[in-house]
Amino acid sequence: MDFDDELSAQEDQTGSDELLSDDNLRLPASANPLVRLHAVRAWLKRKEKETTMDMGTVALVLQELQISTGSAPLRRRAYQELTERLQSQQNAFQSAQERLATYEEAGEMLEDCVNHVTVGERLLVEYYLQIEDLIQTGLEESNQATTPRLEALFEVQNRIERVGVSYEED
């Protein structure tokens, strides 16, 4: 077996972070609290990576739209449509930035929680309560309107619930 064969064999294997970050992950009742913690960490890292990639995609579309805006004179309707698309993409970029910042903040909060709470069953409960406080504060500040930040916090909360709940083995 040569180096190329070993490399291709390694690429076919799924890493533990990838498995633990899966949205459909179901941990057995006997799962160690460290495994549950790692599942939340891996998921947060995956969401950060996905959101960064989304931002890059939107940035490329924005760049193309800006180039096409200045290339040739457009009729009023075409210019208006292009301007609307540009505004829509700018909003999508800002939304992705807000989600990314929220995932990063949630990751920092998790690490802070790990540093102050003994790793065990209580850790994810404490973390969940901190996320719940952020959600309540966000809802009050936005007058109950959903924002990209709140959507990301709800996703984090959902992940904690999913990973923190013990399932009986089938």
Side-chain angles (χ1 to χ4, degrees):
M1 183 181 237
D2 65 0
F3 179 74
D4 291 332
D5 292 337
E6 287 180 32
L7 184 60
S8 66
Q10 288 176 352
E11 290 173 357
D12 292 341
Q13 296 175 356
T14 305
S16 65
D17 282 356
E18 213 172 303
L19 292 171
L20 288 173
S21 71
D22 185 0
D23 287 330
N24 298 317
L25 176 69
R26 292 177 59 141
L27 295 173
S30 61
N32 187 305
L34 285 172
V35 173
R36 295 179 193 284
L37 169 63
H38 192 68
V40 173
R41 276 184 180 148
W43 181 86
L44 282 168
K45 290 294 178 197
R46 191 192 94 212
K47 294 302 277 186
E48 287 177 24
K49 186 177 179 181
E50 288 174 354
T51 306
T52 301
M53 290 174 63
D54 290 345
M55 286 174 59
T57 303
V58 172
L60 287 173
V61 171
L62 271 171
Q63 183 180 21
E64 290 172 4
L65 288 172
Q66 289 171 341
I67 289 171
S68 65
T69 301
S71 62
L74 300 171
R75 287 191 244 154
R76 174 183 268 169
R77 182 175 291 174
Y79 181 76
Q80 185 178 3
E81 288 174 3
L82 187 61
T83 303
E84 288 172 1
R85 285 183 53 211
L86 188 61
Q87 184 62 44
S88 172
Q89 292 299 313
Q90 287 173 336
N91 290 342
F93 187 79
Q94 289 173 340
S95 176
Q97 276 183 315
E98 196 172 333
R99 284 193 327 272
L100 178 61
T102 303
Y103 292 132
E104 289 172 345
E105 178 186 4
E108 291 170 8
M109 286 177 60
L110 179 60
E111 295 311 314
D112 193 44
C113 199
V114 168
N115 291 332
H116 293 95
V117 178
T118 305
V119 175
E121 299 296 328
R122 183 175 157 206
L123 175 69
L124 288 181
V125 172
E126 291 289 329
Y127 182 56
Y128 182 91
L129 293 173
Q130 288 179 5
I131 297 295
E132 180 69 25
D133 286 344
L134 285 178
I135 290 171
Q136 292 306 317
T137 302
L139 285 171
E140 290 169 8
E141 291 173 356
S142 68
N143 294 324
Q144 306 298 321
T146 303
T147 63
R149 174 179 169 72
L150 286 172
E151 289 173 0
L153 287 171
F154 280 125
E155 285 183 54
V156 172
Q157 190 179 46
N158 189 309
R159 180 59 177 187
I160 298 166
E161 289 172 354
R162 183 159 187 78
V163 171
V165 171
S166 298
Y167 294 98
E168 293 301 319
E169 297 198 35
D170 297 330

